Amino acid sequence: MSQQASSALAGIRDVLIGIAVENEGETASSAIGYGLTLAKAAGAHLTLQSASWRLSGDDRWISGFDDGSVAEIDRRLDALARAIAERAAGDARLAGVVCTTETPSLPYPAVIRRLAEQARLHDLAILDAGIWTCDLDREALEATLFESGRPVIAVPPGHAVFAGRRIIVAWDGSAPAARAANDAMPLLRAAEAVEIVTVGNAAEIRDAVPGAEFAPHLARHGVNVIVNDLPVSGSIGDTLRSQAGLFRADMIVMGAYRHSRTRQFFFGGVTRSLLRSCPVPLFLSR
C-alpha cells in the first residue's frame, strides 16, 4: 500500500471484529483476516470480541430438562471461542498489530447487546456476512448498525484480506447514504478510484439529490471520484452487484436499512438483498 493511502487510512484508529460462536460447526471467519489486515494498513488498534452463546442459565425451558449436557455444550463453545481469539491474537502479533481480545460467554440477548456496546467504542466494526435468515449473525449485524452509532463492514466469505483500491458509493440522495460516505471517508481518500453510483429510472434519479452534486464534496476531501447513473436491471441489488463486477470494486459503501427492518423483512430491500449475496465487502452506516 502506498504511503499516501496509509496516511489517509490513519483516520481509522481502532477496529472491532465481532465473532459469535453459536455451534461447533462454525465455518472459517473472513472478518478476522479482513479486520487484521485493515488494522495493519491503518496502523490501528484491533479488538476481537469472540463471544460464545451460552445456553445454560435461568431459562426455565432449558433448566426443565438439562441433565448436564447443556453445560457441557457451553464449555465446548466457550473453549472454541477462546481458541479463535488466541489464534487471532497470535496472528496479530506476527503482523505487528496491537490487539486486545475478549471472550464473553453470554446468553443470546447479552451477546448481541455486548457487541453493540463495544462497537460504540471503536471507529468501525467488522462482522461476517453470509447466507442467513433469522440467526445470531443477522441479529448481531443489525443490532450493531441500529444501536452502536458506528459503521459496520460486512465481509462475505472469501474476502479474508482487506482491499480498498476501487470503491463504489451507492447513492440515493438520502441521509443514510450521505452518512455512509462521510463515515467511509478515510477509505475513500485512500482509494485509487471511487464511483458514485445512482440506480433508478429517470424520474427517480431526477427527484433525488444528484450524485453529480455530491461528488464535489468528496473531491474537496481528496477523493478521486466519478459519477455513474444507471437504470435498474432486475433490481437495485442486482444492478449494484453487476456494477461492482464491471468496476472491479473492492467494496460497496451504502446507507443501510433506509426503510424499517420490518418492512425490509416482509418486502425485501437493497440492504437485505446485498447482505444475502454480495461479491465484495459492504461498508454500512445508518
Side-chain angles (χ1 to χ4, degrees), residues 18 67 77 108 178 187 216 273:
D67 59 358
L77 294 181
Y108 179 86
L187 296 163
S273 171

PDB file of all heavy atoms in Angstrom, residues 18 67 77 108 178 187 216 273:
ATOM      1  N   GLY A  18     -16.203  -8.619  15.464  1.00  0.00           N
ATOM      2  CA  GLY A  18     -17.155  -9.343  16.294  1.00  0.00           C
ATOM      3  C   GLY A  18     -17.427 -10.730  15.758  1.00  0.00           C
ATOM      4  O   GLY A  18     -17.841 -10.883  14.606  1.00  0.00           O
ATOM      5  N   ASP A  67     -29.727 -32.145  31.792  1.00  0.00           N
ATOM      6  CA  ASP A  67     -29.095 -33.189  32.597  1.00  0.00           C
ATOM      7  C   ASP A  67     -27.587 -32.996  32.689  1.00  0.00           C
ATOM      8  O   ASP A  67     -26.847 -33.921  33.041  1.00  0.00           O
ATOM      9  CB  ASP A  67     -29.394 -34.563  31.997  1.00  0.00           C
ATOM     10  CG  ASP A  67     -28.889 -34.682  30.560  1.00  0.00           C
ATOM     11  OD1 ASP A  67     -28.338 -33.685  30.033  1.00  0.00           O
ATOM     12  OD2 ASP A  67     -29.044 -35.767  29.962  1.00  0.00           O
ATOM     13  N   LEU A  77     -18.305 -24.655  23.536  1.00  0.00           N
ATOM     14  CA  LEU A  77     -18.409 -23.430  22.741  1.00  0.00           C
ATOM     15  C   LEU A  77     -17.496 -22.342  23.291  1.00  0.00           C
ATOM     16  O   LEU A  77     -16.874 -21.582  22.533  1.00  0.00           O
ATOM     17  CB  LEU A  77     -19.855 -22.936  22.708  1.00  0.00           C
ATOM     18  CG  LEU A  77     -20.861 -23.827  21.981  1.00  0.00           C
ATOM     19  CD1 LEU A  77     -22.246 -23.194  22.003  1.00  0.00           C
ATOM     20  CD2 LEU A  77     -20.430 -24.100  20.539  1.00  0.00           C
ATOM     21  N   TYR A 108     -28.191 -15.421  24.815  1.00  0.00           N
ATOM     22  CA  TYR A 108     -28.451 -14.836  23.495  1.00  0.00           C
ATOM     23  C   TYR A 108     -28.597 -13.315  23.487  1.00  0.00           C
ATOM     24  O   TYR A 108     -27.875 -12.631  22.764  1.00  0.00           O
ATOM     25  CB  TYR A 108     -29.691 -15.498  22.901  1.00  0.00           C
ATOM     26  CG  TYR A 108     -30.088 -14.967  21.552  1.00  0.00           C
ATOM     27  CD1 TYR A 108     -29.527 -15.478  20.394  1.00  0.00           C
ATOM     28  CD2 TYR A 108     -31.023 -13.951  21.433  1.00  0.00           C
ATOM     29  CE1 TYR A 108     -29.881 -14.999  19.143  1.00  0.00           C
ATOM     30  CE2 TYR A 108     -31.392 -13.469  20.190  1.00  0.00           C
ATOM     31  CZ  TYR A 108     -30.818 -13.986  19.059  1.00  0.00           C
ATOM     32  OH  TYR A 108     -31.170 -13.501  17.835  1.00  0.00           O
ATOM     33  N   ALA A 178     -25.566   9.715   2.707  1.00  0.00           N
ATOM     34  CA  ALA A 178     -24.601  10.776   2.993  1.00  0.00           C
ATOM     35  C   ALA A 178     -23.757  10.421   4.205  1.00  0.00           C
ATOM     36  O   ALA A 178     -22.536  10.637   4.216  1.00  0.00           O
ATOM     37  CB  ALA A 178     -25.332  12.095   3.224  1.00  0.00           C
ATOM     38  N   LEU A 187     -11.372   5.606   3.969  1.00  0.00           N
ATOM     39  CA  LEU A 187     -11.232   4.584   2.931  1.00  0.00           C
ATOM     40  C   LEU A 187     -11.350   5.193   1.540  1.00  0.00           C
ATOM     41  O   LEU A 187     -10.609   4.821   0.620  1.00  0.00           O
ATOM     42  CB  LEU A 187     -12.288   3.500   3.123  1.00  0.00           C
ATOM     43  CG  LEU A 187     -12.181   2.684   4.417  1.00  0.00           C
ATOM     44  CD1 LEU A 187     -13.474   1.955   4.698  1.00  0.00           C
ATOM     45  CD2 LEU A 187     -11.020   1.708   4.345  1.00  0.00           C
ATOM     46  N   PRO A 216     -18.538  16.865  -5.743  1.00  0.00           N
ATOM     47  CA  PRO A 216     -17.573  17.895  -5.332  1.00  0.00           C
ATOM     48  C   PRO A 216     -17.218  17.840  -3.851  1.00  0.00           C
ATOM     49  O   PRO A 216     -16.079  18.160  -3.469  1.00  0.00           O
ATOM     50  CB  PRO A 216     -18.292  19.205  -5.688  1.00  0.00           C
ATOM     51  CG  PRO A 216     -19.207  18.831  -6.799  1.00  0.00           C
ATOM     52  CD  PRO A 216     -19.676  17.450  -6.462  1.00  0.00           C
ATOM     53  N   SER A 273     -30.909  -7.599   0.448  1.00  0.00           N
ATOM     54  CA  SER A 273     -30.510  -8.304  -0.756  1.00  0.00           C
ATOM     55  C   SER A 273     -28.992  -8.423  -0.861  1.00  0.00           C
ATOM     56  O   SER A 273     -28.459  -9.499  -1.159  1.00  0.00           O
ATOM     57  CB  SER A 273     -31.072  -7.575  -1.986  1.00  0.00           C
ATOM     58  OG  SER A 273     -30.544  -8.119  -3.180  1.00  0.00           O
TER      59      SER A 273
END
